[in-house]
Amino acid sequence: MYARTASSQRSLQVGVGILAACAAVTLLYYGRVFFITVIIATMIAFLLEPMVGFFMKLRFPRGLASFFVCSISLVFLYFVGLGVYTEGMAMMNDLPAYGERINELVDSVSLRMEHFQEGVYRTLVPRRFQDGGSETPPPPPAKAARGTQRNKPEIVSPVVPPAIQEVRVRPEPTPLFDYIYDYLRSFYSVFLMASFVPFLVYFILSWRDHVRGRLLVMVSAEGRYTVAKAMDGVADMVRAYVIGNFLLGLVLSLVSAILFASVKLPYWIVVAPLSGFLSLAPYIGLPLALIPPLAAALPLKPPAALFLFLTASVAVLHLLALNLLYPKFVGSRVHLNPLVVTLALMFWGMLWGGIGLVLAIPITAALKAVCDNVGSLQAYGRLLGD
């Protein structure tokens, strides 16, 4: 009787756990815009916290220090955006050259494909069938068979025009406007939530001590140290991951800028950072990093050696960063095994799309930090670790 009761309780717990997991996944999917906004704001707050601590050492209150740090960050983003906008407007002026070059490439590829198809046709099809049929000469035209009727006049019957039918046009809604409205409406919630990020970052920084204290009060006295340690572990893990990736992307951007400037690549100031930071994308970093320099070289009509140089340099930088620099900048702080990283990318990419691929590793690293600092979850932390 006791064994049957224990078995039924375990079955009930497993069923409740499965239902809770399904409910959590459903909530994460339908509330993805909200959760993504909160996670991004929290990560930015973790990054800016050391700067707030620096101003607080100068006798600034936390609220004023948070305001200064957020203002400095916004000014920095403004100047970065201004530089990107200036280079973008210059690239807009060169769009006709890009269009002409792309048309030339498309025409060249089409011509080569036609020649290839003709060569295959001439190789596979016998010559006697290439002109349309058999070896026997074509029969004489029907005109020669009717030679006796050549002088007879033909009777032409008058053509009666068809009756004109009345056509009524019913006005219907233009599908173009419906498509544009649906497309903009899908981005409305994204823009709305993105506008909350600066305010969330400020309030997370300025109310950090207050929120931390209230959370610890809600926990029993025995668990306060564990909760505080887990919170500090999550902050350190996310901060180390983001700062490590930023430093690595900065190194790749500087080296790429030197290489691109040496061959006088157009807009290398913008192309180099794009290529450097896109190279950090998991699994697809190399093809993404190749797109900006190869696209910038299109209107130059360069020789094949330039494309080969750009491809080889980006590939070498990517491999060096992945095998030598990434373990030192990021891997030594995250400690996630490759299988967990792959599964995390698949799961969060399925739920949240492209932004899920970006946030997959820091979210998983934060979960590992929680497991490492909670005694009952340390086994799961070792399972996630390398």
Side-chain angles (χ1 to χ4, degrees), residues 31 286 301 374:
L286 180 57
K301 296 183 180 179
V374 177

Side-chain angles (χ1 to χ4, degrees), residues 44-74:
I44 296 174
F46 286 158
L47 293 178
L48 299 180
E49 177 60 32
M51 295 179 62
V52 175
F54 172 77
F55 280 105
M56 291 181 65
K57 291 179 181 179
L58 300 178
R59 306 287 183 176
F60 281 82
R62 172 168 280 276
L64 185 59
S66 302
F67 178 77
F68 280 167
V69 170
C70 292
S71 301
I72 293 172
S73 303
L74 290 176

Side-chain angles (χ1 to χ4, degrees), residues 231-314:
M231 293 171 62
D232 293 336
V234 171
D236 294 339
M237 182 74 74
V238 173
R239 189 181 300 117
Y241 174 79
V242 177
I243 292 177
N245 275 281
F246 178 76
L247 293 177
L248 182 57
L250 190 62
V251 171
L252 291 175
S253 300
L254 292 176
V255 178
S256 300
I258 295 174
L259 292 174
F260 296 161
S262 64
V263 295
K264 298 180 180 180
L265 187 70
Y267 311 109
W268 59 269
I269 298 179
V270 177
V271 172
L274 283 177
S275 178
F277 282 96
L278 286 176
S279 181
L280 301 177
Y283 298 103
I284 57 174
L286 180 57
L288 290 179
L290 287 172
I291 294 175
L294 295 181
L298 280 179
L300 295 179
K301 296 183 180 179
L306 179 57
F307 285 105
L308 182 60
F309 170 79
L310 294 175
T311 303
S313 60
V314 172

Side-chain angles (χ1 to χ4, degrees), residues 50 68 75 105 131 140 150 157 161 163 188 191 198 250 260:
F68 280 167
V75 170
L105 292 176
D131 295 330
R150 184 179 303 171
S157 60
Y188 171 75
F191 293 143
L250 190 62
F260 296 161

